[in-house]
Amino acid sequence: MNPMTAPKSALVPLLAAAIALVVVHGFGRFIYTPLIPLFVQDGILTLAQAAQLATWNYVGYLTGAMLALFSYQRGLGKMALTLALIGNAVITFGQIFSAQYESLALLRLLNGISNGVVFVLAPALVLEWLVANNKAHLSGLMYLGVGVGLLSSNAIVDATEIWLTGNQRWFPAALISMPLALWSAWYLSHLSKGTPAQSRDDNTPLWDRASTPLFLAYTGAGLGYILPMTFLPAVAHDWNLQLNPSAWLLVAIASIPSTIIWNSLGTRLGDRNALIINYAVQAVAVAAILVMPEAALGLWICAIFMGGSFLGAVFLTQRLARTLHPHQGPRLSAALIALYGVAQLVGPILAEVGINMGATLAATFIWGLGACIWGMVLMFWVPTTRQH
């Protein structure tokens, strides 16, 4: 089916965006989280090096968001999306042959760059198509791809744990990523944006009285979620806990229905009010690690609550920001991802500094708790509709 002449069903565009997120976020990025304790066990990384690799990945993610905006403004958005999506799968394959820390650091940086490009351009392109076809209320469903990617990557790691070692552990994800990336890249490159006529306020400042607290709250969300989403399996390993089910599996399972739940809450309560609840849930998730040290229950609560909320923060913020700035498109997506990316970059750095100063990995989660509370409080200053 040619995407240019396809019927106005939202199913296939949403599916294409979701598959793109499976590739770059599930297999490209977050599969690294359950692999960290295995890489430490295999002796190819120390815990400090694992945190450093996460930092390089987030540096790339931030860079990729800016590159996406640069490409879009010069009419190269679809080309950049295609190259980044296919390139991400190729990079995942390349990690199989990276036995040295330095080469793996470079590949994790490139993985982050390609991920940032795709995470800006793919959802932004499909969102504009949905808006043009009066289906914007379905936008949260494309983020099901992240949840499916989390669940799939966890299943892959669990299924291959006993018969793969070291960098061979990247192989299954690389094998699955390539055909998915090729199809999604082809479809999205042919999808008509269907963007409504540009308004005269296209270049109005993004940072105004209405949007500034929203952006600052989202920055807090980036720091609040990244510590558990990067180090939760490593915390379980550090506490010498053999969990069944594993914390990461619970994260993945909880993320699947979360997009539908938060999409529904945003529609019923308004995106602003849903975000206030969302940040409160994330705060409870992080607090569970701090108030129940070395307890399986704390890890499970953190996994379920964080897995069931972090995606909602992403698409509810994107949707509310677009309400405040209805004609900004990828520029808005890039700005939000840049803020989120900076906060994610800070998270592993704080963890590494804390570890080097003698703190436990779990104790560094205090920064995430403060960030979630920060975001929740700021949301009370965000209007629910565009201010004229």
Side-chain angles (χ1 to χ4, degrees), residues 22 28 40 66 79 95 100 125 131 150 175 184 192 203 219 253 261 263 282 293 310 318 324 350 362 379:
V22 168
V40 173
M66 298 299 95
M79 179 185 297
Q95 290 169 163
Q100 301 299 318
L125 174 63
V131 170
L150 288 173
L175 185 66
S184 179
S192 174
N203 295 314
T219 304
I253 292 173
I261 292 170
N263 196 68
Q282 292 193 54
F310 80 98
Q318 291 276 356
L324 302 177
L350 291 174
M379 284 306 304

Coordinates of all heavy atoms in Angstrom, one line a residue, residues 22 28 40 66 79 95 100 125 131 150 175 184 192 203 219 253 261 263 282 293 310 318 324 350 362 379:
V22 N 10.2 1.1 18.8 CA 10.6 -0.2 19.2 C 12.1 -0.4 18.9 O 12.9 -0.8 19.7 CB 9.8 -1.4 18.5 CG1 10.5 -2.7 18.7 CG2 8.4 -1.4 19.1
G28 N 17.5 -0.4 20.7 CA 18.7 0.4 20.6 C 19.1 0.9 21.9 O 20.3 1.0 22.2
V40 N 28.6 -6.5 33.6 CA 29.4 -6.5 34.8 C 29.8 -7.9 35.2 O 31.0 -8.2 35.6 CB 28.7 -5.7 36.0 CG1 29.5 -5.8 37.3 CG2 28.5 -4.3 35.6
M66 N 18.9 18.0 18.5 CA 19.2 19.2 17.8 C 19.5 19.0 16.3 O 19.1 19.8 15.5 CB 20.5 19.8 18.5 CG 20.3 20.2 20.0 SD 19.1 21.5 20.2 CE 17.6 20.5 20.6
M79 N 14.7 12.6 5.1 CA 16.0 11.9 4.8 C 16.8 11.6 6.1 O 17.3 10.5 6.3 CB 16.9 12.8 3.9 CG 18.3 12.2 3.6 SD 19.3 13.4 2.7 CE 18.3 13.5 1.2
Q95 N 27.7 -3.2 17.7 CA 28.1 -3.4 19.1 C 28.5 -4.8 19.4 O 29.2 -5.1 20.4 CB 26.9 -2.9 20.0 CG 26.7 -1.4 20.0 CD 25.5 -1.0 20.7 OE1 25.3 0.2 21.0 NE2 24.5 -1.9 20.9
Q100 N 36.2 -3.5 23.1 CA 36.8 -2.5 23.9 C 35.8 -1.4 24.4 O 34.9 -1.1 23.7 CB 37.9 -1.8 23.1 CG 39.0 -2.8 22.5 CD 39.7 -3.5 23.7 OE1 40.1 -2.9 24.7 NE2 40.0 -4.8 23.5
L125 N 6.2 13.8 12.8 CA 5.6 13.6 11.5 C 4.2 13.0 11.6 O 3.2 13.4 11.0 CB 6.5 12.7 10.7 CG 6.0 12.3 9.3 CD1 5.8 13.5 8.4 CD2 7.0 11.3 8.6
V131 N -3.2 15.3 13.4 CA -3.8 16.6 13.5 C -4.6 17.0 12.3 O -5.7 17.4 12.3 CB -2.8 17.7 13.9 CG1 -3.5 19.1 13.8 CG2 -2.3 17.5 15.3
L150 N 10.4 -2.3 25.3 CA 10.9 -2.7 26.6 C 10.6 -4.2 26.9 O 11.5 -4.9 27.4 CB 10.2 -1.8 27.7 CG 10.6 -0.4 27.8 CD1 9.8 0.4 28.8 CD2 12.1 -0.2 28.2
L175 N 19.5 -8.5 15.1 CA 18.9 -9.3 14.1 C 17.4 -8.9 13.8 O 17.0 -8.8 12.7 CB 19.0 -10.8 14.5 CG 18.5 -11.8 13.4 CD1 19.4 -11.8 12.2 CD2 18.4 -13.2 14.1
S184 N 9.7 0.5 8.6 CA 9.2 1.8 9.2 C 9.8 3.0 8.5 O 9.1 3.9 8.2 CB 9.6 1.8 10.7 OG 9.2 3.0 11.2
S192 N 2.6 11.4 3.7 CA 2.4 12.9 3.6 C 2.1 13.5 4.9 O 1.3 12.9 5.7 CB 1.1 13.1 2.7 OG 0.8 14.4 2.6
N203 N 6.7 31.4 14.5 CA 8.0 31.7 15.1 C 7.8 32.4 16.4 O 8.8 33.1 16.8 CB 8.8 32.5 14.1 CG 9.1 31.7 12.8 OD1 9.5 30.5 12.9 ND2 9.0 32.3 11.7
T219 N 11.8 18.9 32.4 CA 13.2 18.7 32.7 C 13.3 17.9 34.0 O 14.2 17.0 34.1 CB 13.9 20.1 32.9 OG1 13.7 20.9 31.7 CG2 15.4 19.9 33.1
I253 N 6.2 -4.7 31.4 CA 4.7 -5.1 31.4 C 3.9 -3.9 31.8 O 2.8 -3.6 31.2 CB 4.5 -6.2 32.4 CG1 5.2 -7.5 31.9 CG2 3.0 -6.5 32.6 CD1 5.1 -8.7 32.9
I261 N -4.0 4.1 29.4 CA -4.5 4.7 30.6 C -4.3 6.2 30.6 O -5.2 7.0 30.9 CB -3.8 4.0 31.8 CG1 -4.3 2.5 31.9 CG2 -4.2 4.8 33.1 CD1 -3.5 1.7 32.9
N263 N -3.5 8.2 28.2 CA -4.2 8.9 27.1 C -5.7 9.1 27.5 O -6.2 10.2 27.2 CB -4.1 8.0 25.8 CG -4.5 8.7 24.5 OD1 -3.7 9.6 24.1 ND2 -5.6 8.4 24.0
Q282 N 5.3 9.0 39.7 CA 6.7 8.8 39.5 C 7.5 9.1 40.8 O 8.5 8.4 41.1 CB 7.3 9.7 38.4 CG 6.8 9.3 37.0 CD 7.5 10.0 35.9 OE1 8.7 10.0 35.8 NE2 6.8 10.7 35.0
P293 N 15.1 0.1 51.5 CA 16.4 -0.4 51.0 C 16.6 -1.9 51.1 O 16.2 -2.5 52.1 CB 17.4 0.4 51.9 CG 16.7 0.7 53.2 CD 15.3 0.9 52.7
F310 N 6.1 6.7 33.0 CA 7.0 7.6 32.3 C 6.6 7.9 30.9 O 6.8 9.0 30.4 CB 8.4 7.0 32.4 CG 8.7 5.9 31.4 CD1 9.4 6.2 30.2 CD2 8.3 4.6 31.6 CE1 9.6 5.2 29.2 CE2 8.6 3.6 30.7 CZ 9.2 3.9 29.5
Q318 N 4.0 16.5 25.4 CA 4.1 16.9 24.0 C 2.7 17.4 23.5 O 2.6 18.4 22.8 CB 4.4 15.6 23.1 CG 5.8 15.1 23.3 CD 6.8 15.9 22.4 OE1 6.4 16.7 21.6 NE2 8.1 15.5 22.5
L324 N -0.4 24.7 23.7 CA 0.1 26.1 24.0 C 0.8 26.7 22.8 O 0.8 27.9 22.6 CB 1.1 26.0 25.2 CG 0.5 25.4 26.5 CD1 1.6 25.4 27.5 CD2 -0.7 26.3 27.0
L350 N 25.4 12.1 38.0 CA 25.2 12.1 39.5 C 25.4 10.8 40.1 O 26.0 10.6 41.2 CB 23.8 12.7 39.8 CG 23.5 14.1 39.5 CD1 22.1 14.4 39.7 CD2 24.4 15.0 40.3
A362 N 21.7 3.0 44.9 CA 20.3 3.3 45.3 C 20.2 4.6 45.9 O 19.2 5.3 45.7 CB 19.8 2.2 46.2
M379 N 3.8 22.0 37.7 CA 2.6 21.8 36.8 C 1.4 22.6 37.2 O 0.5 22.9 36.4 CB 2.3 20.3 36.7 CG 3.2 19.5 35.9 SD 3.4 20.1 34.2 CE 1.7 20.1 33.6

